[in-house]
Amino acid sequence: MAIDPTEKGLETNIEAWLVQSGYRSKRIEGHALEAFKKYALDVEVLFEFLESTQQKSLERLRKVYKEQTKEKILERLNKELNSRGMIDCLRHGIKDYGVTLRLAYNQPVSYMNRTLAELYEKNIFTISRQVYYSAQNNDSIDMLVSLNGLPIAVLELKNPLTNQTVDDAKRQYMRDRDPKELLFQFKKRAIVFFAVDPDEVYMTTKLEKENTFFLPFNKGNNGGKGNPPVANDYKTAYLWKEVLQKHSLIDILFRFVFVQQEDILDSTGEVIDKKETVIFPRYHQLDVVRKIEADVKLFGVGTNYLVQHSAGSGKTNSISWLAHRLAKLHDRDDNAIFNSVIVITDRRVLDKQLQDAVYQLEHKAGMVAKIDKDSNQLAHELVNNTRIIITTLQKFPFIMEKVGEFTRGKYAIIIDEAHSSQGGKSATAMTSILSDKTLEEALEADRIAEENMEDIDEKIVETIVKSGKQDNISFFAFTATPKAKTLEKFGRMGDDGKPHAFHVYSMRQAIEEGFILDVLANYTTYKTYYKVAKMIEDDPEVSSKQASKEIAKYVSLHPHNIAQKTEIMIEHFRRVTRHKIGGRAKAMVVTASRLHAVKYKQAFDKYIRDKGYTDMKAVVAFSGTVVDTGISYTEPLMNGFGEKELPKKFHTDEYRVLLVAEKYQTGFDEPLLHTMFVDKKLDGIKAVQTLSRLNRTCKGKNDTFVLDFVNDADDIQKAFQPYYEVTGLSDTTNPNILYDLQRELDAYQVYTDDEVIEVSRLEFSGKKKTTKTQEKLNAILDMAVERYKKELPKERQEDFKSTGMKFIRTYSFVLQIASLVDVELHKLYVYLNYLLKKLPKNQSEAVYLADEIALEYYRNTMVFEGSISLEVQGGAELNPTSHGGGGGKEEPRDRLSAIINRLNERFGTDFTETDRLSYEQIKEDIINNDDLAQKARSNTKENFKFSYEKAFLDIVIGRMGQNEKFFMKILEDGDFKTAVMDYMFEEVYKGLSNRTEKGPSHPGFLSNEQEDEHSDPPEA
């Protein structure tokens, strides 16, 4: 007999397994079918359940309704389901004439209460096949899962062996299932709709015809989408063998599913409506929460958990469910495992959402408290054992301090550091006033500030490390991009001796499942080619490294550089971006510093104004105050509204481009962001976090675009690869690196062994510390400070400090992850903590070249366009903390002219006069015109102007073929032509006058060759 390839076989197998596990097979027909078409309820099973569990309640209602009891109860139930929804009625029952009727019983936390346990066992789970649901037609659904006669889940099945897949099941829901049918009405009856084939499962909680949005409900397959093969079974068997099992389904209904409310905003940001969504957990959310719960039950308090879940994983909901379940978790003796669950986050949405979700799950207020005041508020909530406490990342050290005081309690701390830089909150080092000295110094100040900013997850780890090992705290860290330290502190040690994430939902799976977009799919890189000229006769000897940096900075802040990139960005936005996402797409410009952000805002505003564009505005985001040429700039001043208003303002249709300097590069969710223009060096996690601002999905958003002026495609690929699948560690931190660092520090001969011992004696003497103690401490440290200043060259001073800081950080960290007892190391640790605070702050050698060089050639050229492919490698490993000093080697020095030549060789190309800055081209042609030189000699300046203006236009026309765009603007735009001529006139007249004495000259920017060529003027 041939094998049945249809979905009927799949249907039969699902039914058989569910019946075997305690379901009842129920065919809905006859009178039951008539009632089902009217009420979308299995009335027979419903009243069987009520009779067996609440007979006294039914008797009371019979006294009121007499022979109409069943009809009246159905009318009341129908009304409540239609107004409150299936989820709320299932959890809390309905009231009728003062009588409460329960519609289902949850599994009791403890089986010590036999009555509740017996009632739970009386729940009736049914599976029905080929259910005819409509009074209007003869359509049927493949399978219906019901609880006590109430419809819970609808299944449409397909089989690839009949050339139909899960996609056909989805299309069937969209095309053949009318959302107006009572069974399919949102919230009122069935809670979830599954599309199933032997390979994949998708789900939705709302049928909306062609607008129905399906979520994958798959396990994931080796880091990607889909499901892994299963020996002798369907790949999707987990749906009926795990998820739909009685204990699992009742758990989902009572402790996972909830209705989420969101505000609908119009284009001005005003709330115009509310949107409701039934949240049913995706498989990985269900899996992580249940696995953590089981592990905590097994191992108790004091164990740490790292959850590596990509953007698009639904972390907000996962954290909400986990917090609620940990708060309700009891041990075998029915005692709460945790006194309080503390959620550390900067997501404002989590506050409200968690409170709403917990209220729906518990139906009582007061379980969730938000800490928005001071330490007294926190202490109050801890003392009162408030079940869930929400606070911000910035209060984390303060939380650890308070929890440490309440050692009698046991705490779960959930860390959500994915959104740590929302609005630049963590960028405290960037909030200072940036005053104008030189443009180059301003850029360097921002660069140093940014480099010194503590990454939030490093800050968290260091805070935990300082607090020491605490057996009364369990940490649950959620991150998409774990660093090596995060893995070591929160990871679970595997059989390979390396720490691993407890649970993973990878970037690859999120992209393949369509929850986030691949930001590397459309990536274009530009390379800036430029040539600089030396403007002075002297050829000073300078640091090669510093001079190269200064020249690059000079070019990056040159008005022509900013103007040309501004034109490229705005015109690309108008040509491509603005038409995306139904005409609502936005762009972000990532700038190199706060000063760049100010300059770009000015350039964007000017270009948009000059062009007369009325359909786009730019806003800027940066911290603190930037003073440029004596004028102070702040974000609110430049935008015309407050900092807190920016996210909402930017979401409206008025503002289309956001210019950022560090702020909003991470932790900013704006689904309408489609394009990113990058004018800043990015690497590692910073590259991943910055570019990932684009990956959020929304209706109508099908792709993204990145135009990168600075980074190479290969470097971006290397940054993303470790986080594409599972992130691991190549090895654990070796405590022996501390001895390497100790030897390196000793070799500087800044301190002596006796001084280290003396400081330790003061620290650990046990005597009360007095002002005399401080006096002695300073006297000991001063000896090392003097050696540091007098005996160490400047470049070695920074190296010593860098190595000392590395020793302190590494020692603190190693103490937490390894059993290391070394008194000598600890003495050095104590000593260095004091010494490093006393050492003078050295400034690295500054090289100021702005007056000595000039931009001669400049061009942006596209060098890469396409998709940056990430490889499927099964995971990647990060390197642990390793030994390495500050690298204070003496920098090589060279002549400025040689450095400039090398840079021109590196960044130049086959330049022609076309590439010379257009303004300088015209000026050079006029000054080298012999006829004009003669007229300048024989005419006054005023009379000469007539000849100049005619020659100006002749030269512009003569150059048309070389640089058409610029010269056409002069010919077509009278104001522009006049401005250029007037601005140039004085320089031209002066240059021509010089020619009467010295022969031809170039008053602008000379290359080295031109300087040599014209060094000896010919005779007049």
Side-chain angles (χ1 to χ4, degrees):
M1 185 176 177
I3 298 172
D4 180 8
T6 68
E7 61 262 20
K8 298 294 182 190
L10 178 59
E11 216 176 274
T12 302
N13 287 329
I14 294 173
E15 181 186 44
W17 184 269
L18 289 174
V19 169
Q20 179 186 327
S21 65
Y23 272 70
R24 183 191 298 178
S25 178
K26 177 68 164 58
R27 188 166 182 82
I28 303 176
E29 54 190 359
H31 292 302
L33 182 58
E34 289 177 23
F36 188 83
K37 288 182 178 181
K38 182 179 180 181
Y39 296 110
L41 301 168
D42 188 337
V43 175
E44 290 178 352
V45 174
L46 171 64
F47 278 91
E48 180 187 341
F49 167 75
L50 293 175
E51 292 283 1
S52 69
T53 58
Q54 298 156 84
Q55 199 168 28
K56 289 181 180 178
S57 297
L58 286 179
E59 286 300 327
R60 288 174 61 190
L61 289 173
R62 285 192 185 106
K63 290 177 182 177
V64 177
Y65 292 131
K66 312 299 183 195
E67 65 274 2
Q68 288 186 307
T69 300
K70 182 179 283 191
E71 288 75 14
K72 289 294 185 180
I73 290 174
L74 284 172
E75 282 178 18
R76 177 63 182 161
L77 175 57
N78 187 54
K79 186 178 179 181
E80 286 287 83
L81 288 171
N82 291 346
S83 62
R84 289 165 51 201
M86 177 64 77
I87 298 166
D88 194 52
C89 291
L90 258 177
R91 285 192 183 133
H92 309 296
I94 64 169
K95 283 192 174 183
D96 190 358
Y97 251 89
V99 176
T100 298
L101 292 176
R102 297 296 303 271
L103 302 179
Y105 288 97
N106 191 13
Q107 189 169 5
V109 175
S110 168
Y111 272 77
M112 294 172 73
N113 188 325
R114 287 306 306 161
T115 302
L116 287 179
E118 287 169 7
L119 288 170
Y120 167 71
E121 294 297 336
K122 289 185 178 181
N123 285 319
I124 304 170
F125 293 82
T126 57
I127 180 72
S128 303
R129 293 171 62 177
Q130 297 305 312
V131 178
Y132 296 89
Y133 56 85
S134 178
Q136 313 303 320
N137 55 55
N138 204 35
D139 291 345
S140 66
I141 54 173
D142 288 339
M143 303 192 88
L144 177 67
V145 171
S146 302
L147 172 60
N148 302 326
L150 281 67
I152 303 299
V154 174
L155 283 72
E156 292 288 2
L157 312 176
K158 300 298 172 191
N159 198 326
L161 297 176
T162 58
N163 294 319
Q164 287 197 309
T165 67
V166 71
D167 292 324
D168 293 287
K170 288 192 277 185
R171 278 191 286 273
Q172 189 169 23
Y173 277 120
M174 291 189 282
R175 296 173 184 172
D176 303 336
R177 303 293 176 246
D178 186 354
K180 294 177 183 176
E181 290 282 357
L182 186 54
L183 178 62
F184 305 137
Q185 286 184 27
F186 177 65
K187 279 199 339 178
K188 295 179 182 179
R189 293 298 189 274
I191 294 169
V192 63
F193 304 90
F194 288 111
V196 188
D197 73 10
D199 301 319
E200 291 191 273
V201 180
Y202 282 79
M203 70 167 183
T204 185
T205 56
K206 188 174 187 179
L207 296 184
E208 293 184 279
K209 286 289 190 181
E210 294 297 327
N211 292 324
T212 304
F213 182 67
F214 283 93
L215 300 165
F217 193 78
N218 298 311
K219 285 186 165 187
N221 185 11
N222 198 26
K225 69 174 184 178
N227 292 296
V230 180
N232 302 317
D233 210 340
Y234 301 108
K235 289 182 181 179
T236 52
Y238 62 89
L239 178 63
W240 51 93
K241 292 188 175 181
E242 297 174 25
V243 178
L244 294 180
Q245 288 295 294
K246 295 196 304 180
H247 67 279
S248 169
L249 185 57
I250 205 89
D251 180 54
I252 292 170
L253 293 174
F254 276 84
R255 301 176 70 192
F256 277 99
V257 180
F258 69 98
V259 181
Q260 180 180 298
Q261 283 197 343
E262 295 174 274
D263 292 335
I264 303 296
L265 309 178
D266 64 11
S267 61
T268 65
E270 292 296 314
V271 178
I272 56 173
D273 201 359
K274 297 278 186 184
K275 177 188 174 185
E276 285 193 330
T277 307
V278 171
I279 302 296
F280 191 96
R282 287 152 59 186
Y283 184 83
H284 68 270
Q285 294 174 315
L286 200 61
D287 194 50
V288 68
V289 172
R290 285 177 168 174
K291 281 182 175 172
I292 287 178
E293 183 180 39
D295 202 77
V296 171
K297 281 184 177 178
L298 186 63
F299 294 105
V301 185
T303 305
N304 295 339
Y305 300 82
L306 176 62
V307 179
Q308 185 185 342
H309 278 196
S310 166
S313 66
K315 275 199 286 286
T316 299
N317 287 333
S318 298
I319 289 170
S320 297
W321 285 317
L322 180 63
H324 177 251
R325 293 177 83 91
L326 292 177
K328 299 285 287 183
L329 204 56
H330 286 67
D331 59 21
R332 290 179 180 177
D333 299 324
D334 209 25
N335 297 315
I337 291 179
F338 296 108
N339 294 74
S340 294
V341 177
I342 303 168
V343 183
I344 314 288
T345 183
D346 264 345
R347 300 192 213 205
R348 292 190 188 95
V349 66
L350 189 62
D351 300 337
K352 183 76 169 68
Q353 190 166 314
L354 204 154
Q355 283 175 325
D356 289 348
V358 169
Y359 180 77
Q360 286 186 45
L361 297 171
E362 289 294 321
H363 215 59
K364 60 183 178 185
M367 271 197 71
V368 181
K370 180 184 175 185
I371 304 302
D372 51 10
K373 294 174 185 172
D374 53 24
S375 58
N376 292 329
Q377 184 191 12
L378 175 63
H380 173 76
E381 302 297 347
L382 289 172
V383 167
N384 289 338
N385 288 337
T386 299
R387 305 309 300 149
I388 300 172
I389 299 169
I390 304 176
T391 187
T392 63
L393 285 155
Q394 286 67 40
K395 290 190 172 75
F396 185 77
F398 156 66
I399 291 284
M400 289 298 295
E401 183 183 319
K402 280 292 171 188
V403 168
E405 292 175 15
F406 293 92
T407 51
R408 64 184 178 279
K410 294 181 179 179
Y411 304 98
I413 298 183
I414 300 175
I415 303 168
D416 168 28
E417 36 74 299
H419 285 56
S420 58
S421 296
Q422 177 86 11
K425 284 182 186 175
S426 66
T428 51
M430 302 288 282
T431 58
S432 59
I433 293 177
L434 180 64
S435 298
D436 57 342
K437 298 174 183 174
T438 68
L439 295 176
E440 291 73 23
E441 287 170 341
L443 179 61
E444 184 68 5
D446 260 12
R447 185 189 66 78
I448 292 169
E450 190 176 326
E451 282 182 0
N452 290 336
M453 269 198 311
E454 284 188 277
D455 184 274
I456 198 70
D457 97 9
E458 295 238 359
K459 199 172 182 181
I460 286 169
V461 170
E462 286 183 18
T463 302
I464 295 168
V465 164
K466 287 176 185 173
S467 304
K469 175 70 174 167
Q470 297 187 45
D471 294 331
N472 65 321
I473 300 175
S474 287
F475 290 99
F476 305 83
F478 283 74
T479 178
T481 50
K483 285 190 169 183
K485 276 188 176 181
T486 315
L487 272 164
E488 285 207 70
K489 182 62 193 169
F490 300 116
R492 182 70 58 89
M493 200 61 70
D495 295 336
D496 58 359
K498 301 174 187 177
H500 299 271
F502 182 81
H503 200 273
V504 176
Y505 177 78
S506 69
M507 182 194 298
R508 177 185 159 206
Q509 186 173 348
I511 290 171
E512 290 181 1
E513 290 187 341
F515 285 108
I516 57 173
L517 294 166
D518 183 358
V519 297
L520 305 185
N522 298 298
Y523 208 100
T524 298
T525 61
Y526 270 65
K527 189 166 184 180
T528 300
Y529 295 93
Y530 60 83
K531 186 173 184 178
V532 291
K534 187 166 67 68
M535 295 297 293
I536 57 171
E537 292 186 12
D538 292 342
D539 200 2
E541 191 177 81
V542 294
S543 158
S544 297
K545 184 178 177 183
Q546 289 289 332
S548 299
K549 264 190 196 173
E550 291 302 316
I551 291 171
K553 283 182 217 164
Y554 170 82
V555 173
S556 79
L557 282 165
H558 195 283
H560 185 77
N561 171 52
I562 288 174
Q564 190 178 85
K565 287 177 180 174
T566 295
E567 180 177 355
I568 290 171
M569 291 186 278
I570 291 177
E571 294 305 332
H572 179 277
F573 181 90
R574 289 181 54 76
R575 191 175 67 254
V576 180
T577 307
R578 69 172 175 157
H579 303 295
K580 298 285 186 175
I581 321 180
R584 296 195 68 201
K586 299 179 184 293
M588 176 182 278
V589 180
V590 179
T591 70
S593 73
R594 290 179 290 164
L595 183 57
H596 277 86
V598 169
K599 296 285 189 186
Y600 268 121
K601 178 69 165 77
Q602 293 167 336
F604 264 67
D605 289 350
K606 182 179 186 304
Y607 188 91
I608 291 168
R609 185 173 59 250
D610 291 348
K611 285 286 187 178
Y613 295 153
T614 58
D615 55 355
M616 67 180 294
K617 283 185 182 178
V619 283
V620 68
F622 63 90
S623 299
T625 301
V626 175
V627 182
D628 183 33
T629 61
I631 302 172
S632 296
Y633 298 94
T634 64
E635 177 188 311
L637 193 67
M638 297 194 83
N639 290 332
F641 52 79
E643 288 184 61
K644 290 182 180 178
E645 294 179 74
L646 191 144
K648 281 188 177 180
K649 289 274 191 183
F650 184 56
H651 184 71
T652 67
D653 291 340
E654 183 178 2
Y655 298 98
R656 307 301 294 274
V657 180
L658 175 61
L659 306 150
V660 302
E662 183 61 30
K663 205 173 182 183
Y664 292 112
Q665 272 182 242
T666 58
F668 177 58
D669 284 348
E670 173 48 74
L672 294 174
L673 265 183
H674 172 277
T675 297
M676 185 174 286
F677 301 107
V678 181
D679 196 26
K680 175 181 181 174
K681 186 68 180 171
L682 299 172
D683 52 30
I685 284 180
K686 183 68 78 177
V688 178
Q689 291 177 336
T690 300
L691 294 170
S692 292
R693 295 311 99 216
L694 295 180
N695 67 21
R696 300 307 190 266
T697 58
C698 67
K699 191 175 181 180
K701 184 176 178 182
N702 303 312
D703 60 4
T704 62
F705 177 80
V706 179
L707 193 158
D708 195 329
F709 291 104
V710 178
N711 304 283
D712 292 332
D714 288 346
D715 293 335
I716 296 298
Q717 195 265 353
K718 286 173 188 171
F720 269 77
Q721 189 64 57
Y723 305 103
Y724 186 51
E725 298 173 286
V726 182
T727 306
L729 269 182
S730 59
D731 200 355
T732 53
T733 299
N734 184 351
N736 289 327
I737 66 172
L738 288 166
Y739 299 115
D740 299 331
L741 291 167
Q742 182 187 28
R743 275 195 305 276
E744 189 173 328
L745 287 165
D746 289 349
Y748 286 97
Q749 300 180 51
V750 169
Y751 54 81
T752 67
D753 290 344
D754 288 342
E755 288 163 5
V756 172
I757 292 167
E758 280 301 311
V759 168
S760 292
R761 280 181 184 153
L762 290 175
E763 179 77 7
F764 301 112
S765 65
K767 296 176 183 176
K768 185 178 179 181
K769 304 295 187 290
T770 65
T771 51
K772 284 289 183 187
T773 311
Q774 190 184 99
E775 197 176 80
K776 290 177 184 176
L777 174 64
N778 275 278
I780 299 167
L781 295 174
D782 284 342
M783 291 187 280
V785 172
E786 286 304 305
R787 292 188 205 103
Y788 173 87
K789 290 194 292 188
K790 292 179 180 177
E791 298 175 23
L792 279 187
K794 284 194 174 179
E795 60 271 13
R796 297 271 289 163
Q797 290 177 357
E798 285 302 306
D799 198 10
F800 175 81
K801 282 204 285 190
S802 174
T803 308
M805 287 302 300
K806 188 173 183 66
F807 178 89
I808 288 171
R809 287 197 303 268
T810 307
Y811 183 79
S812 300
F813 185 67
V814 165
L815 281 183
Q816 298 299 303
I817 61 170
S819 299
L820 179 73
V821 180
D822 190 309
V823 174
E824 299 305 316
L825 286 180
H826 196 73
K827 288 177 182 175
L828 181 59
Y829 169 73
V830 171
Y831 176 82
L832 287 172
N833 263 299
Y834 286 118
L835 177 64
L836 290 176
K837 290 170 186 171
K838 279 217 75 173
L839 293 179
K841 292 176 172 59
N842 291 343
Q843 297 294 326
S844 58
E845 178 188 10
V847 178
Y848 176 58
L849 299 175
D851 296 331
E852 301 176 11
I853 59 175
L855 185 63
E856 186 177 35
Y857 289 120
Y858 179 96
R859 188 173 72 204
N860 282 304
T861 301
M862 186 190 299
V863 294
F864 174 87
E865 183 177 29
S867 172
I868 299 176
S869 300
L870 298 176
E871 298 174 9
V872 176
Q873 300 175 339
E877 292 184 334
L878 304 173
N879 292 321
T881 305
S882 58
H883 166 57
K889 297 176 183 175
E890 188 174 348
E891 292 182 354
R893 302 176 71 79
D894 212 336
R895 293 291 172 190
L896 179 57
S897 57
I899 294 167
I900 289 173
N901 287 337
R902 280 204 304 273
L903 285 170
N904 283 335
E905 284 175 14
R906 180 180 174 191
F907 292 103
T909 184
D910 297 327
F911 285 116
T912 67
E913 287 302 304
T914 308
D915 301 304
R916 187 177 293 276
L917 299 182
S918 299
Y919 180 92
E920 299 299 333
Q921 291 174 340
I922 299 171
K923 191 166 69 177
E924 181 185 14
D925 283 0
I926 294 174
I927 290 171
N928 289 317
N929 186 298
D930 292 333
D931 182 49
L932 280 178
Q934 178 63 38
K935 288 175 180 174
R937 280 197 295 267
S938 53
N939 286 282
T940 64
K941 186 188 290 187
E942 288 72 22
N943 290 336
F944 168 72
K945 196 166 187 179
F946 295 106
S947 302
Y948 162 71
E949 288 178 357
K950 183 180 183 304
F952 180 91
L953 288 176
D954 288 343
I955 287 166
V956 167
I957 292 168
R959 278 195 172 273
M960 279 291 296
Q962 296 173 318
N963 204 345
E964 184 174 348
K965 188 174 182 181
F966 180 80
F967 298 112
M968 278 299 293
K969 183 169 178 63
I970 292 176
L971 294 176
E972 293 174 356
D973 188 336
D975 292 340
F976 182 74
K977 179 193 76 175
T978 303
V980 172
M981 281 197 304
D982 290 348
Y983 189 77
M984 193 182 292
F985 180 72
E986 292 294 333
E987 293 179 79
V988 165
Y989 190 78
K990 182 180 177 183
L992 286 167
S993 299
N994 285 342
R995 280 195 57 190
T996 62
E997 301 171 8
K998 301 179 182 177
S1001 69
H1002 181 349
F1005 304 145
L1006 299 183
S1007 67
N1008 300 327
E1009 291 80 10
Q1010 287 171 321
E1011 284 189 316
D1012 294 336
E1013 182 183 341
H1014 301 305
S1015 57
D1016 296 312
E1019 292 180 8

